[in-house]
Amino acid sequence: MSRFLSNATNRIDAKGRVSVPAGFRAVLSQRGIQELYCLQDFIFPAVSVGGPDLLDRYERQIASVDPFSVEANRMSLLIHGGGVFMRLDAEGRLMVTDFIRDFTGISTEVTFVGRSDHFQLWQPQAFHEAQAAAREGRSSSRPG
Amino acid sequence: MSRFLSNATNRIDAKGRVSVPAGFRAVLSQRGIQELYCLQDFIFPAVSVGGPDLLDRYERQIASVDPFSVEANRMSLLIHGGGVFMRLDAEGRLMVTDFIRDFTGISTEVTFVGRSDHFQLWQPQAFHEAQAAAREGRSSSRPG
DNA sequence: TGGGACCATATGGGCGTCAATGGGAATGGC
DNA sequence: GCCATTCCCATTGACGCCCATATGGTCCCA
């Protein structure tokens, strides 16, 4: 089973580091991912984290349009300019930078959320609310 | 990873110099780029910086359109008339000239923005706004 | 079945290194 | 000679690397 699943909340220490859940680290090493590509989600106040293949997927989208177009320029601004490469330290922790804090509202704790081929960083409260809202939306349109 | 990615904001000192982020400098040296070519972005108030190949790419773009068109004329004016060559000093800093300040609105700080094969200089606030606007435009679509 | 050894994960913090920054001195153009 | 750029060196503050401790759970064995 090599997918990012479930969620966990960990504390940020005095230096601004947080441990990536062991389960997620296992998936990373299983997939041979050493360099993490992080990007702000387009919909939720969350930062997506995955391997270079995550970036590749977005770049293929850019490549599909005229490289000098306004649309390509905008996409590159988000994907390249808004993306960040990160590495875990020896203990499997990552730095929670201002880049992450500002966009997610994270301050003292991080909720790691599995998304199959990548995972996300959420402010715990925001995650619970978004999840509750998603559940609402589904149960109202599809009872059962 | 041999691409210009992510963004970082650095201060301009009293002499008008600013440090290019170490990550970007690493990409430059890896690509053997010593002379930097700078030109104005066609869409955003930003200055693009790259190796001589950046100039080549734009010239090919001009060549691909009607040489007598308004578009070709305008591009040539920006690329050939507005382009500038620069070098980094021993510490990896570059001079923020009036050419850069006037076009970008940069005054005390510079945001370096990765664009995969080149990088850009932005006024920090302008970058955040442009990125937020671009995200708005894309919030409805997601990659497959 | 209860206690305890053992283990893995999460967390805390010391310390060295390097990047970012500041400023003096030398250089060169006008 | 004056101003602007370039070269060189000093400072400092952040980050990476390392080791120590806490915490909770599991397994083994009496």
Side-chain angles (χ1 to χ4, degrees), chain A residues 41-60:
Chain A
D41 189 88
F42 291 140
I43 297 168
F44 297 110
V47 170
S48 297
V49 181
D53 56 304
L54 187 62
L55 172 60
D56 292 342
R57 200 182 327 149
Y58 286 114
E59 285 196 323
R60 278 197 296 277

Side-chain angles (χ1 to χ4, degrees), chain A residues 25 87-93:
Chain A
R25 296 205 306 263
R87 302 185 72 94
L88 301 185
D89 67 13
E91 288 75 33
R93 291 178 286 195

Side-chain angles (χ1 to χ4, degrees), chain A residues 40-127:
Chain A
Q40 297 162 349
D41 189 88
F42 291 140
I43 297 168
F44 297 110
V47 170
S48 297
V49 181
D53 56 304
L54 187 62
L55 172 60
D56 292 342
R57 200 182 327 149
Y58 286 114
E59 285 196 323
R60 278 197 296 277
Q61 263 201 336
I62 295 180
S64 68
V65 303
D66 172 15
F68 286 88
S69 67
V70 175
E71 181 60 14
N73 201 329
R74 273 196 194 153
M75 287 167 85
S76 167
L77 191 68
L78 289 177
I79 305 308
H80 298 126
V84 171
F85 267 116
M86 290 193 142
R87 302 185 72 94
L88 301 185
D89 67 13
E91 288 75 33
R93 291 178 286 195
L94 59 82
M95 282 291 300
V96 182
T97 61
D98 286 341
F99 161 76
I100 295 173
R101 293 175 191 269
D102 293 345
F103 188 71
T104 61
I106 288 171
S107 59
T108 63
E109 287 190 331
V110 180
T111 295
F112 292 82
V113 180
R115 301 288 290 225
S116 191
D117 59 354
H118 66 282
F119 63 88
Q120 293 186 321
L121 312 180
W122 284 72
Q123 196 275 331
Q125 186 65 20
F127 171 63

Side-chain angles (χ1 to χ4, degrees), chain B residues 18-36:
Chain B
V18 66
S19 292
V20 174
F24 287 6
R25 297 205 304 263
V27 176
L28 288 175
S29 76
Q30 191 173 339
R31 295 188 173 197
I33 298 174
Q34 295 185 345
E35 199 145 42
L36 299 176

Side-chain angles (χ1 to χ4, degrees), chain B residues 32-114:
Chain B
I33 298 174
Q34 295 185 345
E35 199 145 42
L36 299 176
Y37 176 71
C38 313
L39 81 163
Q40 301 164 351
D41 189 89
F42 290 160
I43 297 163
F44 297 110
V47 170
S48 297
V49 181
D53 57 304
L54 184 63
L55 176 57
D56 294 342
R57 183 145 16 94
Y58 278 102
E59 288 192 325
R60 278 199 300 277
Q61 174 69 8
I62 292 181
S64 72
V65 304
D66 175 10
F68 294 101
S69 68
V70 175
E71 182 63 14
N73 200 325
R74 181 173 145 271
M75 288 179 77
S76 172
L77 189 66
L78 289 176
I79 293 164
H80 300 120
V84 169
F85 275 108
M86 286 193 149
R87 300 184 130 269
L88 299 185
D89 67 12
E91 287 76 34
R93 290 182 283 198
L94 58 82
M95 283 291 300
V96 182
T97 61
D98 285 341
F99 161 75
I100 294 172
R101 292 175 191 270
D102 293 345
F103 187 71
T104 61
I106 288 170
S107 59
T108 63
E109 287 191 329
V110 180
T111 296
F112 292 81
V113 180

